[in-house]
């Protein structure tokens, strides 16, 4: 598990190291500069002509120190001090004085600099101190840097990317490498920040563990060693040991989603998977997945005791229930959901059409229109404890009755509203999914754009259900499931490619992920 920090938390770690432990800031700056240079040295040669673009804060100070180290090592290097010289931080002023003593070339105005003369750029304009949108001269500098054809190394953050949420503040440098110090920043994991970073290199610049531990963060991500969290499979066991998953996925001609969800649940280790669907899906599902148990219901007879009893029995014998994949949004589908939620005492995985049905239903009440709080309260009151909702951003926008663009622009704030006063777990699915429960925020770093293909969300529901069926707590299952799903997508991309892979390849990828082959 890797801790992730925002700018405030990173500044608190800096401050603890400096003021409580007593490490002089110039020592941290020197270590930061050396780590930037050692990353650069893997890609540059003495033929390169390097320009270090510096701001007036400590990010610029790191850049000035890196320029000195490069000069000492015989590289051809100039400096462009793009920040206001009147606003230099104390350490940065010290670094500038050293460079002046060394008689380095230091440009002060954009007009003086011919970027075409340089083969390598170092971006040390802004780091975690970025506070507002970049404008005017600094924006013009970044525009020049982004048209440059050589490699760009960003110091700590690509200038213009918010360390807090990965958003572009006005404009931002598109780096090839970002060398960051101490801890990974939230804004380097979330998009678009992640893309602007290029290859992210995390370096140790001497923050003592006690400085890092002194600051609490709600953000983290998983790494390969977190696969050890997988539920242990007892030797003395039978299929009952590994739980029973029910997939409620009813609509005619929409059996594909149920199939992918059920297949993924089996391939993640569930003991038994039952699919509740309409009779017309029976033959095809039996042919595709004979291992699944099928219970069929007749949507035209949902008011009869017999059909209700069938639903009640199926719900009663399951350990976890997936609702939504391929369900449709008809009134009959809503009725099935009503019965399932009425009888269910176990966690639900609420996905796709189940979320759309809830959104539609809320829209029938004028008081609920635009009232996110009331809508989320209603969900919290009507769904069993441990339930996981897995909306993609458009489903989330419908559920919360907010524009999708607002949700996309404020994913972390949206996670905060979703989890306020609730027991539910939210998986906000995106290129970097956020799993949110109470105050914790798991940001997922596995997966790739080949997963932007129909049916991969259905696969996720099966994975989550299987982990819960095997005894995992819902929040743990949600985090690990999202992580495994992304890793399986990475295996699929490696075996096929990001264009050709389809959802069933992601299911196949589970074999390598769970078999310890990655
Ligand atoms: N404080 C420390 O102990 C260390 C800091 N380090 C470096 O210092 C960086 C943080 O330094 P600073 O806090 O000085 O901040 P930055 O150098 O990131 O930003 C400089 C200053 O620019 C101003 N500013 C913010 N947004 C602006 C905008 N949009 N347009 C114009 N001006 C703007 C602010 O006053 C800010 O303090 C880190 O990212 C890292 O590179 C490292 O040297 C390691 C140690
Ligand atoms: N660019 C991407 N990078 C990583 N993961 C992605 C990307 N695009 C989609 N995904 C993942 O693929 C899944 C798609 O789910 P969803 O949108 O519900 O698809 P469907 O409804 O077709 O099954 C989600 O888990 C999402 O996080
Ligand atoms: K920078």
């Amino acid at each position: 598990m890797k801790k992730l920090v925002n700018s405030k938390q990173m500044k608190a770690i800096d401050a603890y190291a400096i003021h409580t432990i007593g490490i002089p800031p110039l020592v941290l700056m020197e270590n930061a500069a050396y780590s930037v240079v050692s990353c650069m040295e893997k890609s540059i040669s003495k033929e390169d002509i390097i320009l270090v673009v510096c701001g007036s804060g400590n990010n610029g100070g790191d850049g000035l120190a890196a320029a000195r180290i490069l000069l000492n090592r015989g590289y051809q290097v100039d400096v462009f001090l793009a920040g206001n010289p009147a606003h230099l931080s104390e350490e940065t002023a010290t670094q500038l004085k050293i460079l002046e003593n060394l008689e380095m070339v230091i440009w002060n105005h954009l007009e003086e600099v011919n970027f075409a003369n340089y083969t390598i750029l170092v971006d040390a304009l802004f780091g975690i101190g970025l506070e507002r949108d970049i404008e005017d001269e600094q924006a013009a500098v970044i525009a020049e840097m982004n048209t440059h054809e050589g490699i760009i190394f960003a110091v700590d953050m690509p200038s213009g990317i918010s360390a807090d949420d990965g958003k572009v503040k006005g404009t931002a440098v598109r780096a090839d490498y970002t060398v960051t110090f101490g801890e990974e920043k939230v804004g380097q994991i979330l998009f678009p920040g992640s893309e602007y970073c290029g290859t992210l290199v995390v370096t140790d610049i001497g923050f003592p563990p006690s400085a890092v531990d002194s600051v609490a963060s709600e953000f983290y991500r998983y790494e390969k060693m977190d696969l050890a969290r997988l539920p242990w499979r007892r030797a003395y066991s039978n299929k009952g040991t590994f739980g029973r998953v029910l997939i409620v996925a009813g609509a005619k001609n929409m059996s594909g989603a149920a199939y992918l969800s059920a297949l993924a649940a089996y391939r993640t280790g569930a003991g038994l998977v039952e699919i509740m669907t309409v009779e017309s899906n029976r033959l095809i599902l039996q042919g595709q997945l004979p291992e699944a148990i099928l219970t069929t219901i007749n949507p035209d007879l949902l008011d009869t005791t017999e059909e209700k009893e069938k639903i009640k029995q199926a719900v009663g014998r399951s350990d976890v229930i997936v609702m939504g994949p391929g369900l449709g949004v008809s009134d009959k589908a809503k009725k099935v959901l009503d019965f399932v939620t009425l009888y269910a005492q176990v966690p639900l995985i609420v996905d796709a059409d189940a979320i759309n049905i809830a959104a539609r239903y809320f829209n029938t009440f004028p008081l609920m229109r635009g009232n996110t709080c009331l809508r989320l309260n209603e969900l919290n009151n009507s769904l069993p404890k441990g339930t996981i909702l897995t909306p993609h951003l458009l489903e989330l926008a419908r559920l919360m009755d907010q524009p999708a663009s607002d949700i996309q622009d404020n994913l972390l704030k949206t996670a905060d509203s979703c989890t306020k006063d609730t027991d539910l777990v939210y998986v906000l699915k995106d290129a970097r999914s956020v799993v949110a429960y109470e105050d914790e925020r798991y940001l997922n770093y596995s997966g790739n754009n080949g997963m932007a293909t129909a049916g991969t969300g259905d696969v996720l529901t099966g994975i989550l259900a299987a982990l819960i069926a095997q005894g995992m707590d819902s929040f743990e299952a949600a985090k690990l499931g999202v992580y495994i799903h992304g890793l399986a997508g990475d295996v699929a991309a490696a075996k096929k490619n990001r264009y050709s892979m389809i959802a069933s390849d992601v299911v196949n990828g589970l074999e390598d992920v769970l078999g310890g082959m990655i």
Side-chain angles (χ1 to χ4, degrees):
M1 190 162 102
K2 275 223 177 291
K3 178 173 181 165
L4 307 169
V5 293
N6 59 25
S7 56
K8 192 170 156 209
Q9 291 156 348
M10 193 63 223
K11 281 179 193 163
I13 294 173
D14 281 350
Y16 191 96
I18 294 166
H19 302 299
T20 308
I21 309 283
I23 302 176
L26 278 173
V27 170
L28 293 172
M29 195 171 262
E30 196 70 7
N31 291 346
Y34 269 104
S35 70
V36 170
V37 172
S38 67
C39 170
M40 290 177 71
E41 284 191 310
K42 297 192 178 99
S43 313
I44 61 174
S45 76
K46 299 278 161 69
E47 270 71 61
D48 280 309
I49 307 177
I50 304 164
L51 181 67
V52 184
V53 181
C54 300
S56 49
N58 278 354
N59 193 251
D62 294 343
L64 295 174
R68 168 184 23 96
I69 296 163
L70 287 164
L71 183 78
N72 290 350
R73 293 188 180 180
Y75 291 97
Q76 307 177 66
V77 52
D78 292 346
V79 166
F80 171 25
L81 185 57
N84 185 343
H87 295 161
L88 293 184
S89 70
E90 191 185 331
E91 291 80 21
T92 305
T94 305
Q95 299 293 354
L96 184 64
K97 187 82 201 111
I98 298 173
L99 294 196
E100 283 164 357
N101 293 340
L102 288 168
E103 296 176 1
M104 276 193 79
V105 174
I106 301 172
W107 309 111
N108 284 297
H109 301 285
L110 182 55
E111 312 80 68
E112 299 167 348
V113 185
N114 185 355
F115 280 81
N117 286 345
Y118 298 94
T119 56
I120 302 284
L121 298 184
V122 178
D123 158 33
L125 260 180
F126 299 107
I128 57 168
L130 184 72
E131 286 158 351
R132 52 188 186 275
D133 280 4
I134 297 179
E135 295 169 332
D136 307 328
E137 170 138 348
Q138 260 99 8
V141 172
I142 290 178
E144 279 289 344
M145 293 176 79
N146 282 342
T147 57
H148 190 262
E149 286 181 357
I151 303 177
I152 303 184
F153 293 89
V155 176
D156 205 19
M157 289 296 300
S159 300
I161 294 296
S162 161
D164 298 337
D165 55 17
K167 279 198 249 175
V168 174
K169 291 186 88 66
T171 180
V173 171
R174 286 190 173 276
D176 298 287
Y177 294 89
T178 296
V179 184
T180 199
F181 311 132
E183 302 303 298
E184 287 172 41
K185 320 297 180 292
V186 171
Q188 293 164 340
I189 303 300
L190 294 178
F191 283 113
S194 177
E195 215 162 17
Y196 278 74
C197 283
T199 303
L200 182 65
V201 181
V202 187
T203 59
D204 169 12
I205 64 162
F207 292 114
S210 57
V212 177
D213 294 343
S214 71
V215 176
S217 167
E218 62 273 42
F219 307 106
Y220 53 94
R221 70 171 178 87
Y222 280 170
E223 49 196 333
K224 297 271 166 66
M225 65 175 72
D226 287 290
L227 288 175
R229 295 168 188 271
L230 274 167
W232 179 60
R233 277 182 94 79
R234 290 170 54 185
Y236 187 32
S237 54
N238 55 57
K239 63 176 180 279
T241 318
F242 303 121
R244 186 169 185 131
V245 174
L246 174 66
I247 295 172
V248 182
K252 193 177 169 186
N253 300 329
M254 286 170 73
S255 61
Y259 163 70
L260 286 168
S261 180
L263 182 66
Y266 267 133
R267 294 277 190 222
T268 310
L272 205 142
V273 181
E274 175 174 356
I275 302 174
M276 191 158 75
T277 185
V278 293
E279 184 58 32
S280 57
N281 287 336
R282 177 184 287 279
L283 264 184
I284 182 149
L285 281 169
Q286 258 170 358
Q288 282 176 317
L289 192 63
E291 294 86 348
I293 292 177
L294 282 175
T295 296
T296 55
I297 48 168
N298 185 339
D300 295 324
L301 300 177
L302 284 174
D303 288 327
T304 65
T305 319
E306 198 187 334
E307 292 302 302
K308 279 188 208 164
E309 192 55 29
K310 241 192 261 174
I311 298 176
K312 190 174 176 182
Q313 299 272 334
V315 167
R317 55 183 174 249
S318 58
D319 297 305
V320 53
I321 303 169
V322 174
M323 304 202 307
L327 191 66
V329 289
S330 66
D331 290 347
K332 288 169 190 167
K334 162 135 190 6
K335 215 169 217 178
V336 173
L337 285 194
D338 284 344
F339 288 137
V340 172
T341 42
L342 177 69
Y343 302 132
Q345 310 271 337
V346 294
L348 310 178
I349 316 285
V350 182
D351 187 49
D353 283 339
I355 294 171
N356 295 331
I357 289 173
R360 265 193 184 199
Y361 174 72
F362 291 157
N363 289 347
T364 59
F365 297 96
L367 262 185
M368 289 214 169
R369 288 308 312 251
N371 191 336
T372 301
C373 193
L374 206 58
R375 294 161 86 98
L376 294 173
N377 262 342
E378 180 62 25
L379 280 178
N380 192 29
N381 292 330
S382 52
L383 297 171
K385 189 173 161 44
T387 287
I388 306 176
L389 288 102
T390 57
H392 59 55
L393 299 190
L394 207 58
E395 287 159 356
L396 192 60
R398 288 186 200 119
L399 190 65
M400 299 181 77
D401 207 13
Q402 284 179 7
S405 53
D406 285 6
I407 303 266
Q408 187 163 32
D409 287 349
N410 298 291
L411 200 57
L412 292 177
K413 281 204 184 110
T414 304
D416 292 345
S417 350
C418 287
T419 54
K420 198 164 168 281
D421 305 324
T422 175
D423 274 337
L424 304 180
V425 177
Y426 281 82
V427 175
L428 311 184
K429 289 186 301 194
D430 198 8
R432 295 271 188 261
S433 298
V434 175
V435 182
Y437 174 65
E438 294 187 340
D439 292 335
E440 286 187 52
R441 302 290 174 263
Y442 166 82
L443 310 187
N444 191 56
Y445 201 51
S446 61
N448 61 80
N449 55 14
M451 297 176 77
T453 178
T456 48
D458 304 322
V459 173
L460 177 66
T461 59
I463 296 174
L464 301 182
L467 294 177
I468 293 178
Q470 289 168 87
M472 280 190 102
D473 154 83
S474 294
F475 183 42
E476 294 301 319
K479 293 182 286 183
L480 189 64
V482 167
Y483 181 57
I484 288 172
H485 180 244
L487 289 180
D490 291 338
V491 171
K495 288 196 175 167
K496 306 271 174 179
N497 59 68
R498 291 179 183 205
Y499 297 92
S500 313
M501 61 187 273
I502 56 173
S504 53
D505 296 321
V506 178
V507 181
N508 293 336
L510 287 169
E511 215 174 294
D512 286 4
V513 176
L514 304 178
M517 313 274 285
I518 56 159

